[in-house]
Amino acid sequence: MTDLLSTAAEAAGSGRPAVPTFAVISGEQVQKALSGSEKQLVELVEATYKLHGAGDSVNPPSYFLRFPDRPSARIIALPASVGGSVRVDGMKWISSFPENVREGLPRASAVLILNDHDTGYPFACLESSIISATRTAASAALAADWLSRNRPRPTRVGFVGTGLIARYIHTFLARTGWSFEAIGVHDLSAESAEGFCGYLRESGATEPVAVHDSAEALIRSSDLVVFATVAGRPHVTAPAWFAHNPLVLHVSLRDLAPEVLLASANFVDDVEHCLKADTSPHLVEQLTGDRDFLNGTLNDVMLGRAAPPTDRPVVFSPFGLGVLDLAVGKYVYDEVARAGQLRLIDDFFHDLRRHG
């Protein structure tokens, strides 16, 4: 940050416009900036949801780049702008290639571009798979807290899907005050399930862990259910599995059949964003022709405009908002700059003359 300020000061003293700087922030730097800050990040996500709900943001529809020769893969562009104290524009460019898992690679990879609020110049490119997982996990932990405030607090958590996102969600729950009597695990890949159990042991989790052979067994034994799969279409179709009225964090968005959602209370992060791209809520809208099945947004709950019932399952389906990525990305940038560890690319912006 000192280099940035001195460059600007020198330019101001000479009467020259400041030369825009551009930094590249690696995944290692991102992880270091975020590690141990789970409570602050949940608070940041909460504040960003409130900014978005108050209209102090721009969050256009995401754009999906799809490939005829790779139908399971996609790359998504999430442009956004957020005001308040964050005051930054930008875009996350995130790929989802499920076939990567077979090769031992994570499904998703991403970069985040941050643009200056006043000039529009991009000033940083950050590795963003960690940022994306972090904002997703912080959002899930925030929803688990708010959606259980007038219900019995869950004591048995179950994870359907045990990849990177599930790991981050567990970390955020554990580091924001949650403890459980038991942890359930289910994954179509026995190797992934075992790897997640290994992560739980290494993280210091002391709860007994049970690996379930079926999603049904896991759901029936859990009162907080986390879906973090790569499912492209609903595979959980029986409302009876949820007869005990659990809280469901439907993070992967396409696991639950319409009949499950129609038997539940439904909350989303943003109505327009969530009801598209054949998400489970979008399938309900297509089936019924209306949005009456929605009880509100998480922001509605935080502002007291909606409350989850106690006599039905409660499902939170977050599409994932670009404004959250920007808020977390700017947090990372500020932390790295404060530590004096920004890696600036000299002469990234080369020809800045308006006339030759």
Side-chain angles (χ1 to χ4, degrees):
M1 183 60 76
T2 301
D3 291 340
L4 292 175
L5 294 176
S6 61
T7 299
E10 290 170 6
S14 67
R16 298 182 285 107
V19 176
T21 61
F22 189 81
V24 174
I25 299 178
S26 70
E28 182 180 13
Q29 290 178 296
V30 170
Q31 191 164 56
K32 183 178 179 180
L34 295 174
S35 180
S37 301
E38 288 79 12
K39 186 175 185 296
Q40 298 97 305
L41 290 164
V42 170
E43 292 170 353
L44 174 62
V45 165
E46 178 173 354
T48 306
Y49 271 135
K50 290 178 178 177
L51 281 174
H52 180 66
D56 196 4
S57 67
V58 182
N59 205 107
S62 304
Y63 179 81
F64 286 70
L65 176 62
R66 299 187 182 276
F67 313 98
D69 61 328
R70 291 157 288 166
S72 68
R74 62 187 186 272
I75 306 180
I76 312 171
L78 289 84
S81 173
V82 60
S85 61
V86 180
R87 207 166 172 265
V88 70
D89 312 322
M91 183 181 76
K92 179 172 73 172
W93 181 239
I94 181 166
S95 66
S96 174
F97 279 54
E99 298 301 317
N100 285 353
V101 176
R102 295 183 181 179
E103 305 300 324
L105 286 172
R107 170 187 58 86
S109 58
V111 294
L112 177 69
I113 300 294
L114 300 180
N115 292 75
D116 181 76
H117 178 277
D118 296 321
T119 68
Y121 270 81
F123 63 87
C125 175
L126 299 84
E127 195 287 327
S128 198
S129 66
I130 296 170
I131 290 172
S132 187
T134 293
R135 64 87 151 140
T136 299
S139 169
L142 180 70
D145 178 27
W146 277 97
L147 294 174
S148 63
R149 289 192 178 187
N150 68 334
R151 295 162 53 94
R153 193 169 175 88
T155 60
R156 296 166 291 127
V157 64
F159 292 88
V160 182
T162 55
L164 179 76
I165 298 299
R167 174 160 56 87
Y168 270 75
I169 291 174
H170 175 268
T171 297
F172 266 78
L173 290 172
R175 294 183 182 176
T176 55
W178 288 82
S179 60
F180 301 99
E181 295 174 0
I183 299 175
V185 175
H186 171 67
D187 198 292
L188 295 179
S189 165
E191 183 180 2
S192 293
E194 179 54 38
F196 188 72
C197 291
Y199 148 75
L200 291 173
R201 290 191 295 270
E202 292 172 7
S203 72
T206 58
E207 301 93 336
V209 178
V211 178
H212 296 276
D213 292 334
S214 68
E216 177 183 3
L218 181 139
I219 293 165
R220 289 185 181 274
S221 65
S222 306
D223 49 11
L224 174 61
V225 182
V226 179
F227 284 95
T229 74
V230 295
R233 60 181 62 88
H235 58 97
V236 175
T237 61
W241 296 1
F242 302 84
H244 56 299
N245 299 330
L247 172 58
V248 180
L249 302 178
H250 186 207
V251 175
S252 38
L253 281 176
R254 294 173 176 84
D255 301 88
L256 303 179
E259 51 265 41
V260 174
L261 294 189
L262 287 170
S264 305
N266 293 280
F267 296 88
V268 297
D269 54 356
D270 182 282
V271 175
E272 295 301 328
H273 283 80
C274 194
L275 271 66
K276 64 180 182 181
D278 289 335
T279 63
S280 294
H282 189 205
L283 295 180
V284 176
E285 181 186 35
Q286 294 176 53
L287 177 67
T288 63
D290 59 50
R291 298 176 173 182
D292 294 345
F293 68 98
L294 291 178
N295 293 69
T297 66
L298 181 58
N299 189 53
D300 290 331
V301 175
M302 293 191 295
L303 295 179
R305 298 192 298 232
T310 59
D311 60 349
R312 278 182 291 163
V314 172
V315 179
F316 177 57
S317 299
F319 192 81
L321 301 179
V323 292
L324 302 183
D325 294 282
L326 289 187
V328 174
K330 183 59 163 50
Y331 175 92
V332 170
Y333 179 89
D334 290 343
E335 288 297 302
V336 175
R338 190 174 295 114
Q341 296 177 346
L342 282 177
R343 299 170 181 171
L344 300 181
I345 307 301
D346 293 335
D347 299 324
F348 185 83
F349 300 105
H350 175 60
D351 191 348
L352 297 174
R353 300 170 300 168
R354 291 190 64 243
H355 305 288

